[in-house]
Amino acid sequence: MKVFINDVPLYIIPMDKVIDREHYDLIIDAEKEKIRYDNLIDDVLIRKGGLADILEFYKFLSSDKNKKLDSLTCKVYDYEKVIKDFKKEFKIVKAAGGIVTKRDKYLFIYRLKKWDLPKGKLEKKEKVEVAAVREVEEECNVKVNLGPRVCKTWHTYTRNGKNHLKKTSWYHMTLEEDKQMKPQKEEGIEKVIWVNKMELRTVLLTTYRSIRYVIKKFHEYQEGLIEVK
């Protein structure tokens, strides 16, 4: 499971999963060493962690104390139970959105001083696919055709003193019509634009890590490197 906390990715993986240790700048055995958060820098791997460690990581990453950590990976025993218990700490929110393409261009929105992809929460009893199309069409005032689900993302946020864990399903969509395209101002969206491949890199420098991850998975989908639903 990959969770974005304050825009920093936390990976929770089973102990028996084989990974490349060369990727990490610091490796800690949680059963033998005390984790000092002020020493965490760049990409860190925690071995033999547990739910208590992950919840402490969540508190640390949610604060403004982290200035040096790029990613945190925690290998745990009893992976399924840890994930289940971790989710119990949050109110789960379901959302959906789209990577909309028009030939070689991508549809982006500008909100809260960041470039983003159109998305939003599911309404009561609404199907995920229906919500994905509705949110894209409402936020950008376009018409789209739904394609396969490319990936999902998890990220945390706090609202009204409660911790939320949002699961967003991302679908590839192709444009049907954009003659009346405009931002949904009441949702805080300032701009809606088409971005070509040359401009994409610049846009991704001013977006969230989770959105860069979605675009990365989309490119893998285009190249046939991942299975989609």
Side-chain angles (χ1 to χ4, degrees):
M1 184 178 187
K2 181 177 185 177
V3 187
F4 290 90
I5 305 170
N6 211 0
D7 212 28
V8 177
L10 166 64
Y11 301 84
I12 307 171
I13 61 177
M15 272 297 298
D16 58 1
K17 182 177 176 63
V18 179
I19 57 176
D20 182 5
R21 293 168 64 97
E22 292 297 321
H23 173 74
Y24 300 97
D25 302 283
L26 178 64
I27 300 176
I28 299 173
D29 187 326
E31 291 184 341
K32 297 179 180 179
E33 305 173 58
K34 182 177 180 180
I35 301 171
R36 294 188 55 184
Y37 294 96
D38 56 342
N39 286 345
L40 301 183
I41 187 170
D42 297 334
D43 298 295
V44 176
L45 170 63
I46 308 292
R47 299 184 66 253
K48 302 177 183 178
L51 179 64
D53 297 304
I54 291 169
L55 294 178
E56 285 300 315
F57 300 153
Y58 166 70
K59 292 178 183 177
F60 172 68
L61 293 175
S62 296
S63 70
D64 292 325
K65 296 178 181 179
N66 173 45
K67 305 296 181 184
K68 301 174 289 185
L69 189 60
D70 289 331
S71 73
L72 184 58
T73 301
C74 188
K75 298 189 79 172
V76 300
Y77 295 113
D78 203 354
Y79 171 80
E80 296 295 338
K81 185 177 187 306
V82 169
I83 295 299
K84 182 179 179 180
D85 291 344
F86 175 71
K87 290 180 180 178
K88 287 180 180 178
E89 300 291 323
F90 300 86
K91 177 181 179 181
I92 304 297
V93 177
K94 294 183 179 181
I99 310 109
V100 184
T101 57
K102 177 183 179 181
R103 295 185 293 278
D104 64 341
K105 296 180 180 180
Y106 304 82
L107 186 64
F108 272 84
I109 63 173
Y110 191 75
R111 174 167 50 192
L112 300 175
K113 299 182 180 180
K114 294 273 191 179
W115 289 108
D116 204 347
L117 295 172
K119 64 184 182 301
K121 297 177 186 176
L122 273 64
E123 295 180 350
K124 190 174 182 180
K125 297 183 179 180
E126 187 177 31
K127 291 185 177 181
V128 180
E129 298 89 346
V130 173
V133 171
R134 177 183 55 76
E135 285 292 340
V136 169
E137 294 187 340
E138 287 179 354
E139 292 193 343
C140 305
N141 201 40
V142 297
K143 293 294 181 182
V144 296
N145 297 306
L146 181 69
R149 191 183 78 172
V150 175
C151 65
K152 63 183 177 182
T153 57
W154 296 87
H155 82 268
T156 65
Y157 63 95
T158 301
R159 183 163 296 166
N160 299 324
K162 293 184 178 180
N163 298 326
H164 295 69
L165 178 62
K166 180 186 282 188
K167 175 186 176 183
T168 305
S169 297
W170 295 96
Y171 292 84
H172 177 212
M173 302 176 190
T174 53
L175 179 72
E176 182 177 317
E177 194 271 313
D178 66 347
K179 291 181 180 179
Q180 303 297 321
M181 187 172 81
K182 62 180 180 179
Q184 189 179 23
K185 298 286 188 179
E186 57 267 34
E187 289 295 323
I189 302 171
E190 299 177 40
K191 303 176 187 176
V192 178
I193 65 169
W194 289 106
V195 176
N196 64 36
K197 291 183 178 180
M198 293 293 291
E199 299 163 331
L200 182 61
R201 184 173 180 83
T202 300
V203 166
L204 293 180
L205 291 173
T206 318
T207 188
Y208 304 97
R209 289 186 182 182
S210 58
I211 298 301
R212 290 199 290 270
Y213 170 78
V214 172
I215 294 298
K216 174 177 177 288
K217 300 305 287 186
F218 178 69
H219 289 158
E220 292 177 0
Y221 147 72
Q222 287 184 306
E223 295 167 10
L225 300 177
I226 58 173
E227 294 184 8
V228 296
K229 297 180 179 180

